Amino acid sequence: MEQLINKLQKSFKLSDVKHQRENLTFVTVKKDSALDLVTHCRDYEGFSHFVLLSCVDWIEDGKFQLTYLLNNPSGKFDLGIRTFISRDNASMTSAHLLWRQIATYQRELKEMYGIDFPGSPRVDESFILEGWDEIPPMRREFDTKKYSEDTYFPREGRGSNDPATYMKSKLYPDDEK
Amino acid sequence: MDFDLTKLLFTLLGLLIVLNWGILMSGIIRKIGARVAKRYGIPVYQGWIDLIKNYAIRSQITHGIMFYLGPVFRLSGGVGLFLFMPMIFGSEHWSNYSFQGDLILLMYFQFFGMLGMALGAGEGGHPNSAIGISRGLSQFTTIEVPMTLAVIAIAIQYHTLSIADIVAAQQGSILNWTVFTNPFATVAAMLSVLGAFGHSPFNLVKAPNEIPIGPPTEYHGTFLGVLRTNAAILHVIEAVLFMNLFFGGASNWFELFLKSFLIYFWSVFVGMVFPRFRIEQSVRWFLKIPTLLGIIAIILA
Amino acid sequence: MTNETNNIVEDKLELEDKFLAPENRKRQVTTPDGTIIEVDPLRDYFSDARPQIYRPNSIPVIENFLNWARAESLWVLGFGTGCGSIELPPLTTPRFDAYRFGVQMRATPRQSNVFIISGYLSVKTLKRVVRSYEQMPNPKYVIALGSCTINGGMYYDSYNTINRLDQYMPVDVYIAGCMPRPEALLAGFNKLKELIKAGKAEKANEYVENFDWYKANQKKIIKDWNMPDYNW
């Protein structure tokens, strides 16, 4: 794994290398070279299996973090390639030509986060939310509790408890800590 | 032919007996199936409750004339089979309207209900019902091949096309039954009856989890009640047909109940053991061993 | 009455045509003999007449008898909406064996009487549920399984799951829990039987009586309403 990272360092500017486990490493690259790195890993380093494409919303930094997780079946290890894109007019180069199933991930990201992938097949069709007309629901500025209360007729008198304190008061009522 | 009221009444009474016996028989069979699976199982009278409930459904939706006529054709196929089937050997009252050459008519009537169902389901509006009905027809066509061969072999053997005469020829001793005098035809027909009853290896056409593409998808309420009524009649009649042709007929109602139950149970017995065939597999299967046995039976006859 | 409904449906369709799949849009078709006809699949495939109220039989003895038959022969629509549908398959196993109560599974809404809403219901599923529910023939019963159908359960703040089922269709029996075990489901079936035998399970007529209210609630959350108002 170390050897692979050192080898990749020579041709790509990797930053923030994090060895999560023995067989899982995350690296971060610039937006422009992310897909180059993915393609390189697929074609030359044996990462033939695409695991997932996911997104994290860093609203404080104004950024989305995309993670392409690749798997090397012969070496039995994973490589996560992270890249940051701007939150405003979020857009990323489509990777559906590398693996066909990425088109589905991109369709979901378009719907849930509003990240555009120009050229990806059927990216504009609704995926799970049919006829959604609010801001994309997985963006953190979307207040899902308020939306639910406004839309779905909440039943009066429904209460919730914090599981930790509730169980503590139930199981150990005498414990005064 | 002069009108005989007594005969008509006895025929209707026989129909009633056959219908109730069919419902009871399928209830018993389901109970046995449940006990095989170590379940308590459905009550034996569940068939009657289901029928009452289906006839009591309030809203009916139709898709046109043929949609109405589908179950009607199916029911007339079942009742038609009954009308020309001699039920009890030697009985004047229970031989219904059988006549010389009724075997040919019965072979035709077996297909009649299926065709009516095809017309009705085609109008049901369900986009996949055409696929379902074509699968049902193709399977039933191949079921008919070994059955027809066996029937022809028997007709050659006994030099008659009258079921009553065939039954008469088998009387006297158990060794006179067709099952001993013409075993190849019997085996071919008993294999094809597996498909005719529509139990497990060959029940893809109307299996509950295949219904989304099966013929009766759109049928509900009274329509479904008619179909179920017919199914009850048809199962008994098919069993009685085979009993008459191969197992010496019946001389009283008790013998009829016992024999038809055993013949029906044979298909259930196979169904408990074997998983479901796909249509193309079952079509090939019917055209292989059963057809071969049927041809052998004809050659020997 | 019917004309008015037709007009409403037509106006609405023009507004919401963008949601329709291409094969369901109105279009011009040339027949084999050369004439051009207009095809509107939505109007051709579905009826848009309003549902009817079916009164129970006025003779109490007959109605009680029919209700007994309905109660003893519950045909369940095999439609799992949420995680609770995993509680349905064990019902047919030797351990629970719902068959002995006359409960049988059907695969088509036309032949079923009981609709089990099993757990959370997302908006996308609700659209299919409404269509299936309306296709079921008249004496029809709804069992709401799990807390999610009562007050939203653990998904009460989700952007995509409904909180209260009774706003969208009438419910006969609630089964609380997360998840209720199959025994609870059997108890629910028995409760439903009591209701039917007592003649109190006429929720299908209730749905028709408050049809506009239910439709308004449904349309509030199903934003791409691309089907007729009543489809059977």
Side-chain angles (χ1 to χ4, degrees):
Chain A
M1 208 66 197
E2 295 280 348
Q3 293 169 351
L4 175 73
I5 299 298
N6 291 337
K7 197 170 144 198
L8 290 176
Q9 278 288 15
K10 288 174 191 161
S11 34
F12 296 93
K13 282 185 184 167
L14 307 182
S15 59
D16 212 3
V17 177
K18 189 180 175 197
H19 294 287
Q20 186 89 20
R21 285 200 311 262
E22 204 174 290
N23 54 0
L24 174 65
T25 303
F26 286 100
V27 300
T28 308
V29 287
K30 284 266 190 308
K31 179 186 173 186
D32 298 336
S33 52
L35 286 189
D36 297 343
L37 179 57
V38 173
T39 316
H40 178 85
C41 289
R42 182 188 76 154
D43 291 344
Y44 298 106
E45 307 297 345
F47 288 91
S48 57
H49 175 58
F50 177 78
V51 182
L52 57 85
L53 166 60
S54 75
C55 179
V56 182
D57 186 359
W58 300 100
I59 192 170
E60 295 84 359
D61 305 342
K63 281 176 181 168
F64 282 131
Q65 172 203 315
L66 292 178
T67 306
Y68 296 83
L69 191 60
L70 311 179
N71 175 263
N72 186 335
S74 55
K76 292 191 170 56
F77 48 80
D78 292 351
L79 176 65
I81 297 170
R82 290 170 172 162
T83 184
F84 288 92
I85 60 175
S86 161
R87 265 180 121 257
D88 314 323
N89 296 324
S91 173
M92 181 67 190
T93 319
S94 172
H96 67 276
L97 290 176
L98 299 177
W99 284 277
R100 270 195 306 176
Q101 65 267 35
I102 295 189
T104 310
Y105 286 100
Q106 290 173 347
R107 210 172 136 200
E108 188 180 11
L109 289 180
K110 163 97 188 187
E111 183 170 273
M112 291 296 180
Y113 289 92
I115 305 170
D116 197 12
F117 294 90
S120 181
R122 303 174 68 196
V123 73
D124 290 325
E125 289 178 27
S126 60
F127 183 62
I128 291 171
L129 313 167
E130 294 180 335
W132 185 260
D133 53 2
E134 300 276 326
I135 57 174
M138 292 295 277
R139 287 191 175 226
R140 275 171 60 199
E141 72 253 32
F142 177 78
D143 190 346
T144 167
K145 186 152 188 269
K146 185 171 176 301
Y147 179 82
S148 173
E149 280 167 4
D150 291 348
T151 316
Y152 296 125
F153 311 104
R155 189 181 285 273
E156 294 294 318
R158 184 194 188 279
S160 344
N161 297 305
D162 175 40
T165 52
Y166 182 74
M167 291 306 288
K168 206 169 165 184
S169 66
K170 276 274 175 192
L171 294 175
Y172 312 105
D174 303 331
D175 205 357
E176 289 294 327
K177 269 189 275 186
Chain B
M1 203 156 111
D2 49 356
F3 181 71
D4 188 350
L5 185 65
T6 329
K7 192 175 174 66
L8 182 68
L9 287 179
F10 267 107
T11 305
L12 290 179
L13 183 63
L15 187 63
L16 199 67
I17 295 174
V18 163
L19 168 64
N20 285 304
W21 169 237
I23 297 172
L24 180 66
M25 189 164 73
S26 69
I28 293 173
I29 292 291
R30 289 182 74 177
K31 193 82 175 172
I32 291 173
R35 287 297 164 90
V36 169
K38 291 201 173 180
R39 285 188 286 116
Y40 180 75
I42 210 150
V44 283
Y45 51 85
Q46 186 70 37
W48 283 285
I49 302 181
D50 285 350
L51 266 189
I52 295 169
K53 189 213 57 181
N54 274 326
Y55 285 119
I57 292 285
R58 291 188 194 131
S59 63
Q60 313 274 353
I61 292 137
T62 174
H63 295 270
I65 296 269
M66 281 320 292
F67 190 75
Y68 277 113
L69 287 182
V72 175
F73 278 13
R74 196 105 170 91
L75 184 65
S76 55
V79 174
L81 268 178
F82 169 78
L83 285 183
F84 298 107
M85 175 78 69
M87 301 297 285
I88 307 288
F89 170 71
S91 159
E92 195 169 322
H93 296 310
W94 302 113
S95 58
N96 294 342
Y97 290 95
S98 61
F99 58 96
Q100 298 292 324
D102 48 4
L103 197 51
I104 301 284
L105 193 72
L106 289 180
M107 297 306 288
Y108 166 72
F109 257 122
Q110 279 192 330
F111 221 91
F112 183 74
M114 205 69 191
L115 286 173
M117 196 64 211
L119 293 170
E123 190 146 320
H126 194 277
N128 288 332
S129 59
I131 301 174
I133 198 67
S134 67
R135 299 201 307 184
L137 279 176
S138 57
Q139 172 165 316
F140 208 78
T141 311
T142 48
I143 291 170
E144 288 277 293
V145 173
M147 198 186 285
T148 313
L149 287 173
V151 166
I152 293 174
I154 293 173
I156 297 173
Q157 182 189 354
Y158 295 114
H159 300 287
T160 175
L161 278 171
S162 162
I163 295 177
D165 291 351
I166 292 178
V167 177
Q170 296 178 51
Q171 298 303 311
S173 158
I174 198 168
L175 291 175
N176 289 347
W177 291 5
T178 318
V179 66
F180 296 111
T181 54
N182 197 345
F184 283 108
T186 309
V187 172
M190 287 315 281
L191 290 176
S192 76
V193 82
L194 294 178
F197 278 136
H199 267 285
S200 179
F202 309 106
N203 63 350
L204 188 84
V205 178
K206 48 185 181 177
N209 45 351
E210 298 283 345
I211 271 190
I213 46 174
T217 308
E218 289 286 320
Y219 284 105
H220 57 283
T222 313
F223 303 117
L224 193 66
V226 170
L227 289 180
R228 293 216 148 199
T229 312
N230 174 62
I233 296 176
L234 204 61
H235 280 162
V236 179
I237 290 300
E238 296 255 335
V240 169
L241 173 65
F242 279 82
M243 176 191 82
N244 281 340
L245 289 185
F246 303 108
F247 298 100
S251 55
N252 56 45
W253 278 104
F254 178 74
E255 195 180 347
L256 183 138
F257 290 155
L258 187 69
K259 282 184 179 174
S260 62
F261 180 80
L262 288 178
I263 294 172
Y264 188 61
F265 189 72
W266 148 248
S267 82
V268 178
F269 186 74
V270 176
M272 289 287 163
V273 182
F274 287 98
R276 190 175 295 154
F277 275 178
R278 283 160 57 185
I279 290 294
E280 63 266 32
Q281 291 169 331
S282 68
V283 163
R284 278 190 203 130
W285 190 85
F286 276 120
L287 290 182
K288 274 177 190 164
I289 299 172
T291 310
L292 197 67
L293 288 171
I295 293 173
I296 291 175
I298 287 203
I299 292 171
L300 289 182
Chain C
M1 179 63 137
T2 323
N3 273 336
E4 275 179 35
T5 328
N6 286 357
N7 289 339
I8 294 167
V9 169
E10 265 175 17
D11 294 344
K12 205 174 51 55
L13 285 186
E14 277 160 24
L15 282 178
E16 291 165 359
D17 221 22
K18 59 176 177 166
F19 290 124
L20 287 183
E23 68 268 19
N24 282 343
R25 291 202 183 119
K26 263 188 212 174
R27 58 185 182 269
Q28 308 261 321
V29 173
T30 314
T31 54
D33 58 349
T35 46
I36 294 173
I37 56 167
E38 190 173 74
V39 174
D40 183 0
L42 273 198
R43 297 291 300 283
D44 291 349
Y45 292 167
F46 308 112
S47 161
D48 47 19
R50 277 176 76 93
Q52 265 177 284
I53 295 178
Y54 293 90
R55 291 283 162 220
N57 199 314
S58 51
I59 305 168
V61 178
I62 295 181
E63 183 62 19
N64 286 345
F65 174 65
L66 295 183
N67 275 339
W68 169 81
R70 284 169 193 143
E72 293 299 327
S73 159
L74 295 174
W75 288 6
V76 178
L77 175 60
F79 186 162
T81 60
C83 48
S85 50
I86 203 67
E87 306 291 335
L88 297 181
L91 284 181
T92 62
T93 58
R95 179 157 178 192
F96 301 106
D97 190 22
Y99 284 122
R100 65 201 147 120
F101 300 114
V103 175
Q104 302 170 58
M105 296 285 173
R106 303 304 295 182
T108 157
R110 293 274 191 233
Q111 299 174 0
S112 8
N113 313 107
V114 184
F115 201 150
I116 298 180
I117 307 293
S118 48
Y120 63 81
L121 197 53
S122 70
V123 176
K124 186 175 181 176
T125 318
L126 177 71
K127 193 169 157 187
R128 278 79 181 165
V129 165
V130 167
R131 289 192 61 176
S132 306
Y133 178 71
E134 289 180 349
Q135 285 183 6
M136 284 160 64
N138 184 291
K140 52 188 168 188
Y141 320 105
V142 176
I143 292 181
L145 183 68
S147 311
C148 294
T149 52
I150 301 172
N151 55 19
M154 62 187 287
Y155 298 104
Y156 73 103
D157 59 351
S158 166
Y159 57 90
N160 199 25
T161 56
I162 64 163
N163 277 356
R164 293 175 61 180
L165 181 63
D166 52 8
Q167 302 285 320
Y168 309 103
M169 56 177 59
V171 180
D172 286 283
V173 176
Y174 285 106
I175 303 172
C178 183
M179 280 314 296
R181 286 192 39 84
E183 291 97 331
L185 202 49
L186 289 181
F189 279 126
N190 283 336
K191 180 73 187 165
L192 180 63
K193 282 187 180 187
E194 282 172 27
L195 288 177
I196 298 172
K197 283 175 186 167
K200 289 177 185 164
E202 296 291 340
K203 293 287 170 97
N205 288 336
E206 206 172 281
Y207 182 73
V208 178
E209 278 159 12
N210 305 319
F211 191 61
D212 295 322
W213 184 76
Y214 282 117
K215 275 294 153 201
N217 284 346
Q218 290 163 4
K219 284 183 183 173
K220 187 185 169 195
I221 60 166
I222 304 178
K223 285 164 184 163
D224 60 335
W225 189 276
N226 53 8
M227 50 191 186
D229 271 15
Y230 185 67
N231 35 70
W232 40 325

